[in-house]
């Protein structure tokens, strides 16, 4: 039967399955049916109809569980951009589930490896025995009352984690659930995440992806998952029962939603696992290479490699753009995902002339009633020309802000001349994001992410230690703004360990007290280490898995992080939906945002330019929080954050304020165990001894009691 050209993919109608596959340049498509194991090919059926560049057909006897793949016929002319080879079994780009695993073999390649003509040669071996296959599924799932949470951006706090890594070593998760979707959805894990003030869990890639052959040869695996081959199917490797990964993923989402946690997926639409002209033919390359990938205009044999992975997905093509947006809508509508983080997001907004904030993809998302209503986060860089675009995405998007990461790291490591830049990062990076009506939440602030040092390793190693990756420590970034404080790696020296732990507290405090959207890397809240590896993409082992036996240090850091979460929730002024101004507010006689030096005076231009300035304060004045003459938050309080990156103590005169008010210390990173102490009360204009390398938080309150004695803190 002819079936229909829409929707693309294999769709069970209740009466049979409709198969539809796009290819603008193919001449014939065969549907290949397999037995339940996926090992034996049972039948080949030519799709009978071709409509609007879509081959389609309907099988009335097919049901969920049907195993299938395609063989696509057309010209094998690499120099013209075409690489059709019907000897190669191809996965459906729209497959919702897979069966079996890929086994690397020369037959997977459309050309004959070792031939003098290289990729211009033609290989006639059948790749089916080495290929995974596609499975037709019934998408029905009992969601109950589950719905997307739509947590406002201003209240969002992101926790980046890995489905397997977070639970693989968790002692309270049943062993059979460790490393699975169900493990992440377990009560103990959810309770811990919630205690940190987290609202949204961001998962490293869970789309169907492959293990690279060169990694397998070194007994390593692709752990992070940035090697996608199927944009509609969840990875089988994180499921208790691999054939039902899609259902287990849905159950995990439902459990996280029930706890009030959003699910954000890290997605990789910028490239695929097929690599360049010498890569395998697994799906897109054999279906319509010239449509799916960006090719060099005058040498179509070769791929544009703006991703650094061999190929670049061609979102300038309408059908490829459709595939990506169809995929996104599927994960929102069918899988109830709340948002996406786009790996190498600049690629998606790149047209043939370069990055364009009005690209087809960005406009498609903006006008789409489904996608415009979810969280969209860009990693705003790639390696192509003009690829660094932090702050330049369209309104409605948030972006990873690596300027925040590097500036905060550099300040706390003691680099000179960082105060002016740090003030911008603390205030939501208005210099980057305050345009076109964008808001402070557009800056996703982070100190560490999956790619790079953990927060603990940032204060424990001067150099990266990636030897376990098998690349002689050549991989990974070398400029990390890290410092070991006297010993490379773990040490028994109590002074070094105390300094390291305080520096972690300083950076965590900076993150939680900054304007913008904070993102915490899983495990940083208890001092997780990767043994100095800052590129653990291939370490599916104890290097990457979170170690929940974190000891007293970990308990102290967790308690401190939980205290920060409470403070961020307590003070709405830290989560304002608009950029704060340093303009004088006539009605209140104050400024919403002001900067202070240790002398008790406001910062002046010369202070910002002084490379020796390493201690300063930010005041957020709740009295000046008005918009159009209307008080926007009656409960806004005035808070003061002091940051001291000097190695030595600094005498800091607390800024003046109206009579009858006093400063209450809420936080001092030099005082361990001070998390719940909101005393003593300090007088306006009093000198406070700010310990070297420390962060403090005060709030202004009406004086009710005299300051009790607290030796060693206020200067005598």
């Amino acid at each position: 039967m002819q079936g229909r050209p829409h929707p693309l993919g294999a769709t069970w109608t209740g009466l049979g399955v409709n198969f539809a596959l796009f290819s603008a340049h193919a001449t014939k498509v065969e549907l290949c049916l397999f037995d339940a194991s996926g090992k034996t090919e049972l039948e080949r059926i030519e799709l009978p109809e071709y409509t609007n560049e879509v081959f389609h057909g309907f099988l009335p006897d097919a049901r969920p569980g049907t195993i299938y793949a395609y063989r696509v016929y057309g010209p094998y002319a690499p120099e013209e951009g075409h690489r059709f080879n019907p000897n190669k079994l191809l996965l459906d780009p729209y497959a919702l589930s897979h069966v079996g695993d890929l086994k690397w073999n020369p037959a997977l390649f459309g050309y004959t490896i070792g031939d003098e003509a290289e990729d211009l040669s033609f290989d006639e071996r059948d790749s089916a025995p080495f290929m995974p296959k596609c499975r037709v599924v019934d998408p029905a799932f009992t969601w109950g009352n589950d719905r997307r949470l739509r947590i406002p951006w201003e209240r969002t706090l992101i926790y980046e984690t890995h489905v397997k890594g977070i639970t693989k070593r968790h002692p309270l998760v049943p062993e059979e659930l460790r490393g699975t979707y169900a493990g992440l959805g377990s009560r103990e894990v959810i309770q811990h995440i919630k205690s940190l003030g987290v609202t949204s869990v961001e998962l490293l890639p869970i789309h169907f992806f492959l293990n690279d052959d060169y990694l397998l040869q070194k007994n390593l695996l692709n752990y992070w998952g940035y090697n996608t081959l199927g944009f509609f199917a969840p990875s089988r490797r994180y499921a208790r029962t691999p054939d039902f990964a899609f259902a287990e993923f849905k159950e995990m989402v439902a459990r996280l939603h029930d706890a009030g946690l959003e699910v954000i997926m890290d997605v990789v639409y910028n490239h695929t696992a097929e690599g360049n002209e010498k890569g395998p033919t697994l799906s897109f390359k054999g279906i319509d290479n010239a449509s799916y990938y960006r090719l060099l205009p005058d040498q179509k044999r070769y791929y544009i490699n703006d991703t650094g992975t061999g190929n670049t997905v061609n979102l300038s093509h309408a059908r490829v753009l459709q595939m990506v947006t169809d995929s996104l809508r599927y994960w929102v509508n069918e899988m109830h995902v709340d948002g996406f983080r786009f790996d190498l997001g600049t690629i998606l907004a790149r047209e043939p002339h370069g990055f364009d904030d009005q690209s087809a993809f960005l406009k498609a998302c903006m006008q789409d009633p489904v996608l415009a209503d979810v969280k969209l986060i860009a990693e705003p860089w790639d390696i192509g020309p003009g690829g660094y675009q932090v702050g330049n995405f369209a309104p409605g998007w948030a972006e990873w802000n690596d300027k925040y990461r590097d500036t905060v790291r550099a300040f706390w490591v003691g680099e000179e001349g960082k105060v002016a830049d740090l003030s911008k990062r603390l205030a939501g990076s208005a210099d980057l994001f305050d345009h076109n009506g964008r808001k402070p939440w557009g800056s996703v602030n982070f100190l560490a992410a999956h790619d790079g040092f953990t927060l603990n390793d940032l204060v424990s190693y001067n150099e990266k230690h990636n030897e376990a990756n098998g690349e002689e420590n050549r991989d990974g970034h070398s400029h990390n703004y890290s410092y070991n404080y006297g010993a490379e790696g773990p040490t028994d020296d109590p002074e070094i360990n105390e300094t390291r732990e305080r520096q972690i507290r300083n950076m965590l405090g900076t993150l939680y007290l900054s304007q913008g959207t904070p993102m915490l890397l899983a495990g940083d809240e208890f001092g997780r280490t990767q043994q100095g590896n800052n590129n653990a993409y291939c370490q599916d082992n104890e290097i990457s898995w979170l170690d929940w036996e974190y000891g007293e240090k970990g308990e102290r850091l967790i308690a401190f992080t939980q205290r920060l979460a409470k403070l961020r929730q307590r003070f709405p002024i830290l989560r304002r939906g608009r950029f704060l101004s340093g303009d004088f507010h006539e009605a209140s006689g104050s400024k919403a945002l002001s900067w202070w030096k240790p002398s008790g005076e406001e910062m002046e231009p010369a202070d910002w330019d002084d490379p020796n300035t390493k201690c300063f304060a930010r005041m957020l004045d709740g009295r000046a929080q008005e918009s159009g003459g209307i008080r926007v938050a009656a409960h806004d309080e005035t808070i003061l954050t002091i940051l001291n990156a000097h190695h030595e103590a600094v005498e800091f005169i607390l800024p003046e304020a109206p009579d009858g008010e006093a400063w209450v210390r809420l936080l001092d990173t030099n005082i361990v165990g001070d998390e719940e102490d909101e005393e003593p009360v300090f007088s306006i204009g009093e000198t406070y001894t700010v310990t070297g390398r420390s962060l403090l938080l005060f709030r202004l309150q009406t004086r009710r009691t005299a300051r009790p004695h607290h030796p060693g803190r206020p200067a005598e």
Side-chain angles (χ1 to χ4, degrees):
M1 298 178 62
Q2 293 182 355
R4 302 179 59 189
H6 182 80
L8 294 169
T11 306
W12 185 53
T13 67
L15 300 175
V17 177
N18 189 81
F19 294 89
L21 180 73
F22 156 74
S23 180
H25 300 98
T27 58
K28 182 174 74 171
V29 172
E30 290 179 339
L31 173 69
C32 303
L33 302 179
F34 293 80
D35 67 0
S37 69
K39 296 180 179 179
T40 302
E41 186 173 346
L42 303 176
E43 187 177 6
R44 296 187 189 183
I45 303 170
E46 181 179 348
L47 293 183
E49 193 56 70
Y50 186 59
T51 305
N52 297 329
E53 298 183 336
V54 175
F55 292 85
H56 55 95
F58 183 80
L59 290 186
D61 297 328
R63 296 289 184 269
T66 298
I67 310 301
Y68 74 100
Y70 292 110
R71 297 181 187 273
V72 180
Y73 294 75
Y76 188 82
E79 293 176 316
E80 299 174 16
H82 302 308
R83 295 179 179 271
F84 295 100
N85 186 336
N87 299 293
K88 311 306 170 185
L89 194 73
L90 306 174
L91 297 181
D92 182 358
Y94 278 70
L96 304 183
S97 179
H98 298 90
V99 60
D101 298 311
L102 183 135
K103 300 176 182 177
W104 286 101
N105 186 278
L108 296 171
F109 294 77
Y111 67 98
T112 302
I113 295 178
D115 192 289
E116 290 184 358
E118 297 183 316
D119 61 296
L120 298 180
S121 63
F122 185 81
D123 190 271
E124 297 182 353
R125 286 171 289 187
D126 184 7
S127 67
F130 313 102
M131 283 287 294
K133 315 300 187 300
C134 308
R135 181 193 297 272
V136 178
V137 303
D138 177 0
F141 183 80
T142 304
W143 283 104
N145 295 323
D146 182 79
R147 57 184 175 81
R148 286 192 292 112
L149 300 179
R150 293 183 170 86
I151 294 172
W153 266 111
E154 292 83 359
R155 301 187 67 87
T156 299
L157 197 158
I158 298 170
Y159 188 76
E160 189 198 32
T161 192
H162 187 282
V163 169
K164 182 176 182 178
I166 191 172
T167 63
K168 188 61 178 177
R169 303 176 69 184
H170 200 300
L172 299 181
V173 174
E175 188 169 355
E176 68 274 14
L177 301 184
R178 295 177 188 174
T180 68
Y181 299 120
L184 177 54
S186 63
R187 180 172 57 88
E188 292 80 8
V189 176
I190 288 175
Q191 286 178 342
H192 171 78
I193 294 173
K194 289 282 291 182
S195 76
L196 305 173
V198 171
T199 65
S200 310
V201 179
E202 182 176 306
L203 305 178
L204 264 68
I206 59 87
H207 281 163
F208 176 67
F209 66 93
L210 301 182
N211 288 310
D212 312 72
D213 187 32
Y214 79 94
L215 290 178
L216 294 175
Q217 292 177 18
K218 295 189 292 185
N219 294 317
L220 297 171
L221 298 174
N222 186 321
Y223 175 68
W224 288 350
Y226 293 92
N227 200 26
T228 306
L229 190 59
F231 297 115
F232 292 78
S235 175
R236 296 158 42 88
R237 66 186 71 195
Y238 306 131
R240 290 171 293 175
T241 306
D243 289 345
F244 295 95
F246 65 95
E248 293 187 25
F249 180 88
K250 290 180 178 181
E251 182 177 350
M252 177 198 71
V253 171
R255 292 186 180 277
L256 290 169
H257 281 180
D258 186 59
L261 292 170
E262 292 182 318
V263 177
I264 296 174
M265 286 174 50
D266 193 336
V267 288
V268 189
Y269 295 109
N270 58 78
H271 74 279
T272 78
E274 291 187 303
N276 61 15
E277 66 276 2
K278 295 186 178 180
T281 297
L282 309 172
S283 180
F284 314 94
K285 186 179 290 184
I287 294 172
D288 194 343
N289 183 69
S291 294
Y292 276 108
Y293 296 115
R294 292 193 186 278
L295 308 177
L296 291 177
D298 53 349
Q299 299 183 67
K300 293 185 178 181
R301 173 184 176 184
Y302 301 107
Y303 296 74
I304 293 174
N305 187 22
D306 289 333
T307 64
T309 60
N311 64 55
T312 303
V313 173
N314 180 22
L315 268 78
S316 296
H317 192 288
R319 285 294 189 180
V320 182
L321 176 62
Q322 177 192 357
M323 178 190 70
V324 172
T325 53
D326 282 351
S327 169
L328 293 170
R329 281 189 295 269
Y330 172 79
W331 287 97
V332 174
N333 292 331
E334 293 293 336
M335 309 297 263
H336 287 206
V337 165
D338 303 276
F340 305 93
R341 179 266 187 188
F342 294 85
D343 179 63
L344 299 184
T346 303
I347 292 289
L348 308 182
R350 186 184 289 278
E351 297 292 355
H353 58 272
F355 175 83
D356 189 341
D357 65 358
Q358 293 297 309
S359 70
F361 174 72
L362 295 183
K363 287 191 287 189
C365 291
M366 182 179 296
Q367 62 79 41
D368 191 292
V370 174
L371 302 182
D373 192 39
V374 300
K375 288 184 167 70
L376 302 175
I377 305 170
E379 182 184 39
W381 50 77
D382 64 34
I383 66 169
Y388 187 78
Q389 295 292 336
V390 174
N392 294 330
F393 269 69
W397 282 73
E399 302 171 38
W400 273 25
N401 188 352
D402 66 329
K403 289 184 182 292
Y404 180 95
R405 175 198 64 196
D406 293 346
T407 300
V408 172
R409 288 182 177 189
F411 174 79
W412 283 114
V413 85
E415 285 200 9
E416 296 181 346
K418 294 297 179 181
V419 169
D421 197 24
L422 180 60
S423 68
K424 299 172 185 176
R425 307 305 146 229
L426 293 173
S429 295
D431 59 319
L432 302 174
F433 294 94
D434 189 9
H435 59 85
N436 299 101
R438 300 188 71 180
K439 302 297 184 180
W441 55 256
S443 173
V444 175
N445 302 330
F446 66 104
L447 304 166
H450 65 275
D451 186 2
F453 276 140
T454 66
L455 201 52
N456 179 84
D457 291 357
L458 195 65
V459 300
S460 303
Y461 295 91
N462 284 350
E463 309 294 339
K464 63 182 181 179
H465 294 271
N466 299 349
E467 291 81 4
N469 295 355
E471 299 179 43
E472 298 181 351
N473 205 32
R474 294 190 300 266
D475 60 309
H477 295 292
S478 297
H479 189 47
N480 299 283
Y481 301 102
S482 65
Y483 188 48
N484 65 23
Y485 299 96
E488 188 75 351
T491 179
D492 294 328
D493 188 309
E495 183 176 348
I496 293 176
N497 285 330
E498 192 280 330
T499 300
R500 289 176 174 177
E501 191 173 334
R502 187 166 73 253
Q503 287 288 66
I504 292 175
R505 292 196 296 270
N506 289 335
M507 286 187 280
L508 286 172
T510 306
L511 178 67
Y512 273 75
L513 300 179
S514 295
Q515 308 288 125
T517 301
M519 185 184 82
L520 181 68
L521 174 63
D524 276 353
E525 71 273 17
F526 55 72
R528 164 183 169 245
T529 180
Q530 288 185 167
Q531 303 170 32
N533 193 317
N534 75 349
N535 189 34
Y537 75 102
C538 56
Q539 299 299 325
D540 189 1
N541 51 46
E542 287 80 1
I543 291 177
S544 296
W545 302 338
L546 273 63
D547 182 2
W548 293 90
E549 302 296 333
Y550 40 67
E552 294 182 0
K553 170 189 171 182
E555 292 175 356
R556 290 192 299 269
L557 287 174
I558 287 174
F560 180 76
T561 307
Q562 292 170 337
R563 174 61 174 156
L564 290 172
K566 293 176 182 177
L567 290 170
R568 185 171 179 86
Q569 291 301 314
R570 175 177 175 180
F571 298 112
I573 200 169
L574 292 169
R575 301 177 276 106
R576 293 303 307 278
R578 63 182 178 88
F579 291 99
L580 301 180
S581 170
D583 297 336
F584 186 76
H585 187 258
E586 294 288 349
S588 66
S590 61
K591 299 178 180 179
L593 173 66
S594 58
W595 306 94
W596 300 77
K597 51 188 175 182
S599 64
E601 302 170 305
E602 286 197 57
M603 297 276 285
E604 298 177 355
D607 300 311
W608 295 116
D609 296 334
D610 185 351
N612 295 316
T613 300
K614 295 184 180 181
C615 181
F616 71 115
R618 177 198 64 179
M619 185 190 295
L620 302 179
D621 198 324
R623 297 168 300 170
Q625 301 309 304
E626 295 186 7
S627 178
I630 300 175
R631 187 67 175 269
V632 295
H635 54 292
D636 268 355
E637 298 188 57
T638 297
I639 60 174
L640 180 76
T641 307
I642 301 177
L643 304 93
N644 180 23
H646 286 293
H647 298 183
E648 303 80 20
V650 173
E651 306 301 324
F652 206 109
I653 299 175
L654 301 179
E656 294 186 7
D659 293 339
E661 294 188 314
W663 291 109
V664 177
R665 189 189 69 229
L666 303 180
L667 205 65
D668 184 340
T669 58
N670 187 58
I671 304 175
V672 179
D674 187 47
E675 289 81 5
E676 301 299 332
D677 183 14
E678 294 198 5
E679 297 296 341
V681 176
F682 297 97
S683 300
I684 302 300
E686 184 172 9
T687 300
Y688 189 98
T689 302
V690 179
T691 309
R693 295 184 177 127
S694 61
L695 176 147
L696 298 95
L697 179 68
F698 296 84
R699 71 178 176 90
L700 198 62
Q701 75 167 30
T702 302
R703 179 182 291 279
R704 294 191 299 269
T705 60
R707 176 177 59 81
H709 178 63
H710 196 292
R713 300 312 315 133
E716 299 299 330

